[in-house]
Amino acid sequence: MFKCLLIEKQNKWEKYKKEGVERMMELSEVFSGIKPLTRVEKNENLQSWFGAMGKQIDSLKHEDATVSGRKIVQLIQALQEVQEFHQLESILQVRQFLADTRNYLHQMIRTINIKEDVLITLQIVGDLSYAWEIVDSYTNIMQEGIKKNPSLVIKLRATFLKLSSALEIPLLRINQAHSPDLVSVSQYYSGELVGYVRKVLHIIPETMFGLLARIVSLQTSVIKELPTRLDKDRLREYAQLEDRHEVAKLTHSVSIFTEGILMMKSTLVGIIRVDPKQLLEDGIRKELVKHIATALDNGLTFNPKAKTSELVGKLETLGKIMDGHRRSFEYIQDYVNIYGLKIWQEEVSRIISYNVEQECNSFLRNKVQDWQSVHQSKTIPIPKFPPTDSTSVNFIGRLARELIRITDPKTTIYIEHMTAWYDVKTHNEVINMKFFSKITNSVGTAGLTGLDRLFSFMIVTELQNYLNALQKGVLKDKAWLEMLAVVSKGLSPSSAIISNPGRFYSQHTSRAQRVWPQILDRVLKVGQMQLLRKHIAYELNISCKFDSKHLASALQVMNDALLAEIEAHYKEPSKPYPKESNPLLYELSTYLDWAGISNPYMKIYVTTKNLEYFSVLSFLFVVSQLPKLTYAKTVGSLISRRVQDQIDGVPFIVGVQTLLRQFHPEIRNQFMLYLGQYVKSYMETAISSGTGKATELPNEVMTTLYFLESFAHYSGITRKTLAVHIPEPILDQYQILSTS
């Protein structure tokens, strides 16, 4: 304000001087008798006196403040005296002119005293740079004041503006030196100050969420949901007037707090403009993130010593908590003027994505630090909680590992027709397809997608560890290479029949008895996680079709069209294909993963080299494990012959399929040729020995055929391709026996 006065000083001086001179000249004319004025007689003395006064006022100069100031005081006194001595008070118009002139002369004194020295004094007196640290000790007092009276925020605006003056001292010398660092230093100090403003005003969203917690409690536990039809006799029961009045009071309190912060106008703090609405939204987001992150961390903590899994119960409890938060947030959004659903989805997705990123760090060489994360924010930070176990970093890791623990192929059986896991000993259902909808209810689509991503990292790690162990151990050992060369030679050509299959195969598989358990463990883990990924994809796809059928349809059509275009390009390279710089494929695949339009069984997780004898090794491994399995018509799949064998058919088949999928298709074809030779050799032996009947197939053949059929199903191979390796009559006989 004072700066404005300083700028306008000369203009105002000239304006007041002009007005004073004009009035003196007019009075001089009045007393000359030329200008008629009611009841004013001609007076030459007064005429010449007022004319002289006008000239005196006109001669005043604002540059010489001291002389002009004294002269103005004398002029004011002279005008007062002339009014008293010449009885001019009775003439109303003259009295008014004299009063106006005195007033203008007073204004001129005030204007002439506007000096730059005053501005410097003001800056010295008002310098608040010393309070940069001290002011924090007053934060609690400010917050308590806001809590009692939200409108206090308007007064606090002046405090924040005052604090911004503290930036002037650090920037003074930088500005005088014309340093290019001025903007960056201003940005830093302004950011620090805005951070403090947020800290003070954060009491509003914090108090709001305290009230919101009570609303959540009332809405989820006390107030009953109104049915679509209601008997009038039960109207009082559902009215719950006291409880609804309590909700109304709490809602009103929330809206009062909102009104308090929104009354604070947009304020320039340093070089950053603070918008109160944005400030409120950021505060609400910060509190929401804190509450949701705490609920997820507390809700998904498991006791590893528990005899029965706590997972289902914990997910149901967490689902209720999350639903309560979401419903109350949805309810309150209109009263605080925010987009509740948008904020909810963005922040929950950000929390999950950040935790998935941190959990996946354990699988990465170059870890994503907090400051590098696109999901972490300084304004709205996602809290980090200490790990509760030695293997997982946060709740998403604990959820994934608990899911792996309860569906362990060594203790459970997966029955595909039931899409459920059953306990081997008790035969009780562990989890089924509906279980994955419980995960959606508790951690949302983002949580399910995050879980899927984490399983992908785990599968990659398992495959890499397996392949590294092979390359460094088995395939570098001379004894192993010699044995595999002998087996490969013995199986060539693949169309030949092995004369004594039982002796030939067991002779070679028994030599690697120590290695098979390690390979089996990895294969079962990969198969188990692939099954979990398949279930997650199904749940994501179903929820996408239900919640957003147009998006699901658009993505499906886009995916089909793009695949058709890529296939056309490979058939005829002149046709277009997306360039490496084109983000289309990458972005579309992200959308497809979130919509569940993907098949984990077809994924290639790792890049591999052509390993010598890999098809032979994989064949020997499968043949060594098949005797442990038997085809059970009651469940329609392979199950372990004995409980102590600790092997489940479906994860085993899926794991082998995934492993071979990482290599060139020729290796998989060679593997199937060896299995076809295995089946034909056993059939030939059974027929030649007379033990084989027309209506029966040997156990080895039956188990292998079921393995091959399932392998082809998970690999996307047709029966026609299978018939290349297995004679049609054997396949037909198998179909009859397996369905009868």
Side-chain angles (χ1 to χ4, degrees):
M1 284 168 71
F2 197 85
K3 279 178 181 175
C4 290
L5 287 173
L6 205 58
I7 293 163
E8 295 168 6
K9 177 181 175 180
Q10 190 172 349
N11 294 338
K12 285 190 175 184
W13 170 273
E14 294 298 335
K15 180 189 168 187
Y16 298 143
K17 187 168 81 170
K18 185 184 173 187
E19 291 287 343
V21 170
E22 283 177 1
R23 275 164 175 69
M24 290 295 102
M25 290 306 168
E26 280 181 35
L27 284 172
S28 179
E29 286 173 14
V30 165
F31 286 103
S32 68
I34 302 165
K35 197 169 186 177
L37 197 65
T38 316
R39 294 180 185 176
V40 175
E41 296 174 2
K42 183 177 178 181
N43 188 327
E44 288 179 4
N45 290 334
L46 284 174
Q47 177 195 348
S48 59
W49 191 84
F50 280 120
M53 284 294 283
K55 286 174 185 175
Q56 288 282 341
I57 293 169
D58 193 36
S59 67
L60 294 170
K61 291 180 181 178
H62 75 275
E63 290 89 356
D64 195 353
T66 310
V67 174
S68 296
R70 287 174 185 167
K71 209 169 187 180
I72 290 169
V73 171
Q74 290 170 359
L75 290 170
I76 292 167
Q77 198 172 354
L79 288 172
Q80 188 69 42
E81 286 172 356
V82 79
Q83 184 177 324
E84 291 171 3
F85 296 153
H86 291 272
Q87 286 121 20
L88 297 177
E89 286 186 3
S90 58
I91 307 166
L92 201 63
Q93 292 92 334
V94 173
R95 194 176 72 185
Q96 184 62 46
F97 268 51
L98 288 169
D100 287 348
T101 308
R102 284 200 304 274
N103 188 37
Y104 285 125
L105 287 169
H106 277 295
Q107 291 289 353
M108 285 171 76
I109 288 175
R110 290 196 186 97
T111 306
I112 208 167
N113 284 323
I114 298 170
K115 297 173 186 175
E116 206 163 335
D117 299 352
V118 178
L119 189 63
I120 294 163
T121 308
L122 271 175
Q123 283 178 334
I124 293 166
V125 172
D127 176 27
L128 205 70
S129 55
Y130 67 88
W132 186 262
E133 294 291 336
I134 301 169
V135 75
D136 199 31
S137 59
Y138 292 88
T139 304
N140 290 337
I141 299 166
M142 293 182 205
Q143 289 181 336
E144 284 301 318
I146 294 169
K147 228 174 178 180
K148 290 173 188 170
N149 180 15
S151 63
L152 186 68
V153 172
I154 304 162
K155 292 178 182 176
L156 278 175
R157 179 173 178 262
T159 310
F160 300 142
L161 282 170
K162 191 71 190 164
L163 275 170
S164 65
S165 69
L167 304 181
E168 291 173 11
I169 299 298
L171 298 175
L172 181 64
R173 296 297 179 216
I174 297 174
N175 193 19
Q176 287 173 344
H178 303 291
S179 171
D181 296 329
L182 179 67
V183 176
S184 59
V185 175
S186 302
Q187 189 77 33
Y188 170 76
Y189 279 106
S190 300
E192 290 292 307
L193 194 53
V194 169
Y196 179 69
V197 173
R198 288 182 193 279
K199 182 182 174 181
V200 173
L201 297 183
H202 188 65
I203 191 68
I204 291 180
E206 201 174 274
T207 311
M208 276 172 56
F209 268 80
L211 299 169
L212 205 58
R214 179 72 183 131
I215 294 173
V216 170
S217 173
L218 286 166
Q219 285 198 324
T220 52
S221 310
V222 181
I223 296 174
K224 298 174 186 175
E225 237 181 286
L226 284 172
T228 47
R229 294 185 68 182
L230 184 65
D231 296 332
K232 64 178 182 180
D233 302 335
R234 301 186 67 193
L235 199 59
R236 187 179 291 279
E237 181 191 335
Y238 278 91
Q240 296 178 281
L241 298 176
E242 289 297 322
D243 298 321
R244 291 185 192 277
H245 180 249
E246 179 69 16
V247 170
K249 273 171 69 180
L250 292 166
T251 307
H252 177 256
S253 303
V254 169
S255 61
I256 289 291
F257 275 103
T258 310
E259 193 179 12
I261 199 167
L262 293 178
M263 281 164 76
M264 188 177 93
K265 295 174 186 174
S266 184
T267 308
L268 192 70
V269 178
I271 61 167
I272 300 174
R273 185 163 292 280
V274 175
D275 179 19
K277 190 178 178 186
Q278 189 60 47
L279 214 60
L280 174 66
E281 189 180 304
D282 288 351
I284 288 170
R285 282 177 184 264
K286 188 176 178 180
E287 275 300 302
L288 178 68
V289 165
K290 191 170 86 176
H291 281 75
I292 297 301
T294 306
L296 288 167
D297 187 67
N298 293 339
L300 295 173
T301 304
F302 308 100
N303 180 11
K305 294 177 181 177
K307 289 181 181 178
T308 55
S309 176
E310 308 166 299
L311 184 56
V312 176
K314 293 252 182 184
L315 285 174
E316 284 174 351
T317 307
L318 180 61
K320 285 177 185 175
I321 293 167
M322 295 292 276
D323 184 56
H325 277 297
R326 187 185 55 76
R327 279 171 58 194
S328 59
F329 207 65
E330 198 177 299
Y331 165 77
I332 213 77
Q333 64 178 352
D334 295 330
Y335 299 99
V336 294
N337 193 25
I338 56 166
Y339 298 111
L341 183 63
K342 177 174 175 280
I343 290 172
W344 173 268
Q345 289 177 339
E346 284 176 356
E347 293 309 318
V348 169
S349 175
R350 195 167 70 88
I351 293 164
I352 301 284
S353 300
Y354 171 74
N355 281 282
V356 170
E357 184 181 74
Q358 294 304 304
E359 190 66 48
C360 292
N361 265 348
S362 55
F363 302 101
L364 299 172
R365 285 179 188 169
N366 300 323
K367 303 190 187 307
V368 181
Q369 302 301 330
D370 254 26
W371 56 273
Q372 294 172 310
S373 176
V374 293
H375 308 296
Q376 188 59 285
S377 161
K378 191 179 177 184
T379 310
I380 311 156
I382 299 168
K384 283 183 82 171
F385 300 95
T388 57
D389 57 55
S390 57
T391 52
S392 305
V393 177
N394 52 50
F395 68 86
I396 202 80
R398 293 197 293 271
L399 176 60
R401 286 176 178 86
E402 181 66 12
L403 199 50
I404 290 168
R405 188 182 74 81
I406 64 171
T407 58
D408 189 348
K410 293 175 181 177
T411 57
T412 60
I413 297 172
Y414 177 76
I415 300 175
E416 189 164 16
H417 301 301
M418 303 295 288
T419 59
W421 280 264
Y422 290 85
D423 190 275
V424 171
K425 293 176 181 175
T426 61
H427 298 175
N428 292 331
E429 187 178 84
V430 179
I431 58 169
N432 56 23
M433 198 66 228
K434 291 177 184 176
F435 167 81
F436 291 89
S437 62
K438 285 185 172 66
I439 298 179
T440 309
N441 292 337
S442 57
V443 292
T445 306
L448 214 52
T449 312
L451 207 56
D452 183 60
R453 185 162 177 251
L454 184 55
F455 282 140
S456 300
F457 271 96
M458 288 178 171
I459 291 169
V460 169
T461 305
E462 287 294 333
L463 290 171
Q464 284 176 340
N465 290 343
Y466 170 62
L467 294 172
N468 288 339
L470 275 186
Q471 286 173 320
K472 290 175 183 176
V474 175
L475 299 177
K476 277 198 173 181
D477 190 323
K478 283 186 180 179
W480 266 98
L481 290 172
E482 284 171 10
M483 186 199 82
L484 291 171
V486 169
V487 175
S488 180
K489 193 176 178 182
L491 295 173
S492 299
S494 52
S495 56
I497 302 295
I498 306 297
S499 56
N500 189 348
R503 185 170 173 275
F504 178 83
Y505 291 119
S506 61
Q507 175 190 345
H508 294 295
T509 54
S510 60
R511 290 175 65 184
Q513 284 298 332
R514 290 182 182 178
V515 178
W516 299 144
Q518 297 168 26
I519 297 175
L520 177 65
D521 192 43
R522 295 197 186 280
V523 166
L524 286 175
K525 275 185 183 176
V526 169
Q528 177 196 8
M529 287 187 280
Q530 283 282 67
L531 283 170
L532 289 169
R533 284 201 71 203
K534 185 70 175 172
H535 277 262
I536 288 170
Y538 177 79
E539 175 62 29
L540 285 169
N541 193 232
I542 291 296
S543 62
C544 182
K545 284 178 178 176
F546 184 78
D547 294 330
S548 183
K549 60 181 180 181
H550 296 304
L551 175 65
S553 303
L555 287 171
Q556 187 65 61
V557 171
M558 181 68 178
N559 187 39
D560 294 343
L562 198 58
L563 287 173
E565 289 287 322
I566 291 168
E567 281 176 23
H569 167 77
Y570 278 107
K571 286 177 185 174
E572 195 179 325
S574 60
K575 290 190 174 180
Y577 181 82
K579 293 179 182 176
E580 282 187 19
S581 58
N582 191 335
L584 175 65
L585 288 174
Y586 174 75
E587 288 185 9
L588 181 64
S589 65
T590 305
Y591 275 98
L592 294 174
D593 286 341
W594 277 71
I597 305 171
S598 60
N599 186 354
Y601 301 153
M602 300 296 169
K603 296 273 184 189
I604 293 172
Y605 292 98
V606 291
T607 52
T608 53
K609 296 174 185 175
N610 187 16
L611 298 177
E612 194 181 7
Y613 303 126
F614 187 74
S615 55
V616 177
L617 181 69
S618 300
F619 165 69
L620 287 175
F621 164 65
V622 169
V623 167
S624 72
Q625 302 305 313
L626 285 178
K628 296 178 183 178
L629 297 164
T630 183
Y631 177 70
K633 288 183 184 178
T634 50
V635 295
S637 65
L638 291 176
I639 60 169
S640 60
R641 286 180 184 275
R642 300 176 304 165
V643 175
Q644 56 265 38
D645 283 335
Q646 294 187 331
I647 183 171
D648 186 16
V650 179
F652 174 67
I653 298 165
V654 173
V656 171
Q657 184 278 136
T658 304
L659 190 61
L660 289 167
R661 171 72 60 182
Q662 311 311 306
F663 292 86
H664 193 278
E666 192 56 45
I667 289 178
R668 185 183 64 193
N669 292 340
Q670 188 63 46
F671 169 78
M672 291 177 73
L673 277 171
Y674 288 145
L675 279 176
Q677 186 184 36
Y678 180 84
V679 169
K680 287 183 282 186
S681 299
Y682 268 103
M683 281 298 294
E684 183 68 30
T685 305
I687 292 165
S688 61
S689 64
T691 56
K693 296 179 184 177
T695 56
E696 288 182 10
L697 291 172
N699 283 335
E700 295 88 352
V701 172
M702 196 70 184
T703 307
T704 309
L705 284 174
Y706 183 81
F707 175 89
L708 271 170
E709 185 188 43
S710 300
F711 183 87
H713 165 67
Y714 295 125
S715 303
I717 297 170
T718 58
R719 181 188 163 96
K720 191 178 177 182
T721 309
L722 204 58
V724 173
H725 310 294
I726 311 288
E728 285 275 7
I730 297 176
L731 286 175
D732 293 338
Q733 184 65 21
Y734 163 72
Q735 288 292 335
I736 293 163
L737 289 171
S738 61
T739 53
S740 61

